[in-house]
Amino acid sequence: QPCLFSVDLAAARAVEGLGIRADLTAGFSLGEIAALAFSGALEDESAFRLVCKRAEFMQEAAERNPGAMGAALGIDAEKLSKVLARFENAQAVNFNCPGQIVFAAKESDIDEIAAAVQENGGKFRRLAVSGAFHSRFMEDASRKMLEYLKNVSVRPASVPVYANRTAEPYGETEQEMKSLIAEQICSAVQWQSTIERMIRDGASVFIETGEGKVLSGLIRKINKSVKVLHYSEVLANGGSL
């Protein structure tokens, strides 16, 4: 997590260094912390330490409450919800784009859920992860993060940061911001709703600042009319969009 955070933030700063000003920001999961640092809500060093603690708390929770994750493809949220309701502690955790939802569940239930997804016309892909992230399996980590944040300074963002949990911009009170940072760990990532809200709020060009181009692909599936670029393209073009 610390390495990914550092790459995300450095890439965003590199784009900014070309004179490109962000009007809105968002980050997927860990990327939300980078967005908060980029926006000035967190000091860089403070954000880095927070990310290290976040990784520690999540790993501890994963070892204490083992779980697994899988992607359900080509099945709508309502059908998947009915499938998951049959299993204790199974829940949708990443609403990535139309037809792509990630869920978390007990390891012992994954194969049966996969079969049920396929019976309902969807496809299943198991994710190679060490825990059931953004789910109730991570509640211990969320509580520890909220306690840790008591000694962390958080201030209103200079650029709106859209929260994974709510798909709405972060508020301005310190307590509200800290609650969102902590709750994000055990809450679903509402990525599709976040991008749709940002577009309604005026976003027409998205620049992905981080390793890989997964989010660029998701945004194109959410809305084909917006322009989506990877930061490496922007740097190669000298800041031309």
Side-chain angles (χ1 to χ4, degrees), residues 7-114:
V7 170
D8 289 351
L9 185 56
R13 292 269 167 76
V15 171
E16 185 181 46
L18 294 175
I20 298 172
R21 183 177 64 85
D23 296 308
L24 311 170
T25 62
F28 191 104
S29 189
L30 171 65
E32 187 168 295
I33 309 302
L36 288 166
F38 176 77
S39 72
L42 291 167
E43 295 285 353
D44 289 358
E45 185 176 344
S46 177
F48 184 84
R49 290 175 178 168
L50 187 154
V51 165
C52 292
K53 281 295 181 181
R54 184 179 185 271
E56 177 186 324
F57 296 154
M58 291 172 71
Q59 184 58 37
E60 289 173 352
E63 292 173 0
R64 189 177 299 109
N65 304 299
M69 298 177 75
L73 310 173
I75 182 173
D76 64 43
E78 185 177 353
K79 282 186 178 180
L80 180 61
S81 178
K82 290 179 180 178
V83 168
L84 297 178
R86 292 155 41 191
F87 301 88
E88 183 183 7
N89 289 328
Q91 63 185 114
V93 296
N94 296 347
F95 295 87
N96 292 341
C97 67
Q100 186 180 129
I101 302 172
V102 172
F103 64 87
K106 293 179 179 178
E107 174 69 43
S108 57
D109 290 333
I110 284 290
D111 289 343
E112 195 172 346
I113 294 173

Side-chain angles (χ1 to χ4, degrees), residues 137-206:
F137 289 81
M138 292 288 116
E139 287 177 350
D140 286 348
S142 178
R143 283 191 288 269
K144 288 182 179 180
M145 177 54 69
L146 189 59
E147 183 66 25
Y148 174 79
L149 284 165
K150 288 181 178 179
N151 297 313
V152 176
S153 176
V154 180
R155 55 180 179 266
S158 61
V159 179
V161 179
Y162 288 69
N164 286 177
R165 181 177 172 273
T166 63
E168 302 280 345
Y170 266 75
E172 296 188 354
T173 69
E174 187 174 29
Q175 187 54 50
E176 179 185 0
M177 296 179 75
K178 289 181 177 181
S179 293
L180 278 175
I181 292 170
E183 291 167 3
Q184 187 235 42
I185 294 174
C186 64
S187 301
V189 176
Q190 303 289 344
W191 188 248
Q192 180 177 338
S193 295
T194 296
I195 298 304
E196 291 171 342
R197 172 61 192 271
M198 293 175 78
I199 292 170
R200 289 198 302 273
D201 288 348
S204 58
V205 178
F206 289 83

